[in-house]
Amino acid sequence: DQRKYLDLVTKSYQSLYTMVDDLLIMGKIDSGNLVPDSEFVNLEKLVKASISELIGVAGQRNITIELKPILDRDHRLHIDRKLIRRLIDNLISNAIKFSPNGSPIYVNLSQDSDRCKVEVADNGAGVPEKLRQRIFEKYEVGTVVRNVKQVGLGLSFCKAVADSHGGTISVRENTPQGSIFCLELPVKC
């Protein structure tokens, strides 16, 4: 029982720490004082690390996470490792949060000559077309989902980080159901 409560306290602390850190970063972004601490990072390794950390949470609901990497590219990008990792964590965490039990989540990497793309696809309820731009605004939660904590900071944080790297973030429908969140980052920043 003590171990169970210790795990609960640890998870609560981590959640609170992440939320406070997100608010501080959003404050820096709003004031124009956020400067990404860029270095060359292998994006595939960063995505694999995120999946590895979140696979246990997904497993509690029998959700699988499958990565479709690009095998013929290095995809080393000049990015802020910490910020982009948090962005990817947010996208995968949201996919877990909004997916039905027992469903798969797919993370796809692709690259062309000037853009690298990370797509996170789930089989949840999806995002209605009229909300697809608004959900990236601060405190916008889109459709309220019962028993799912929604603060409205995660996706605005993701958008701010993508913007600070010269990238974009968007959402589209996943057929037959669900959402695909797409992060695009320039190959050369």
Side-chain angles (χ1 to χ4, degrees):
D1 280 345
Q2 289 177 343
R3 178 60 133 181
K4 183 174 134 183
Y5 290 121
L6 181 60
D7 287 344
L8 181 62
V9 168
T10 301
K11 287 178 184 174
S12 296
Y13 163 78
Q14 289 170 334
S15 177
L16 182 60
Y17 175 82
T18 299
M19 187 182 302
V20 169
D21 200 37
D22 285 353
L23 284 169
L24 292 171
I25 291 170
M26 290 301 294
K28 284 183 179 180
I29 290 167
D30 287 346
S31 67
N33 292 325
L34 178 71
V35 178
D37 184 15
S38 297
E39 61 182 298
F40 282 102
V41 176
N42 182 301
L43 187 61
E44 185 175 334
K45 287 182 181 176
L46 199 66
V47 170
K48 284 180 178 179
S50 179
I51 291 170
S52 176
E53 193 168 298
L54 294 168
I55 199 80
V57 175
Q60 292 173 357
R61 295 190 38 228
N62 295 320
I63 294 173
T64 59
I65 304 173
E66 296 180 33
L67 173 64
K68 181 181 173 189
I70 311 168
L71 300 176
D72 62 339
R73 302 224 185 210
D74 183 22
H75 25 274
R76 289 174 55 85
L77 303 177
H78 198 247
I79 55 176
D80 185 312
R81 176 188 307 272
K82 180 183 171 191
L83 291 176
I84 295 298
R85 169 64 192 270
R86 292 269 301 279
L87 187 160
I88 293 166
D89 286 352
N90 279 350
L91 294 181
I92 295 172
S93 292
N94 279 352
I96 294 168
K97 203 181 333 183
F98 293 103
S99 289
N101 291 345
S103 65
I105 294 170
Y106 298 98
V107 181
N108 299 313
L109 296 176
S110 61
Q111 184 174 330
D112 60 27
S113 61
D114 62 342
R115 306 290 277 179
C116 195
K117 195 183 294 188
V118 179
E119 294 181 311
V120 179
D122 65 52
N123 291 310
V127 178
E129 191 169 349
K130 65 182 179 182
L131 297 176
R132 290 186 189 156
Q133 293 294 17
R134 283 195 3 227
I135 61 170
F136 295 105
E137 296 172 13
K138 267 193 255 179
Y139 308 112
E140 179 62 56
V141 294
T143 305
V144 176
V145 177
R146 190 176 184 169
N147 297 325
V148 175
K149 286 190 251 178
Q150 297 172 269
V151 178
L153 288 175
L155 290 176
S156 65
F157 169 84
C158 292
K159 181 174 180 352
V161 170
D163 290 347
S164 74
H165 285 78
T168 60
I169 188 163
S170 60
V171 61
R172 67 182 189 275
E173 183 179 357
N174 186 17
T175 306
Q177 79 176 42
S179 298
I180 300 173
F181 282 84
C182 179
L183 167 66
E184 291 188 60
L185 295 168
V187 172
K188 295 178 183 171
C189 293

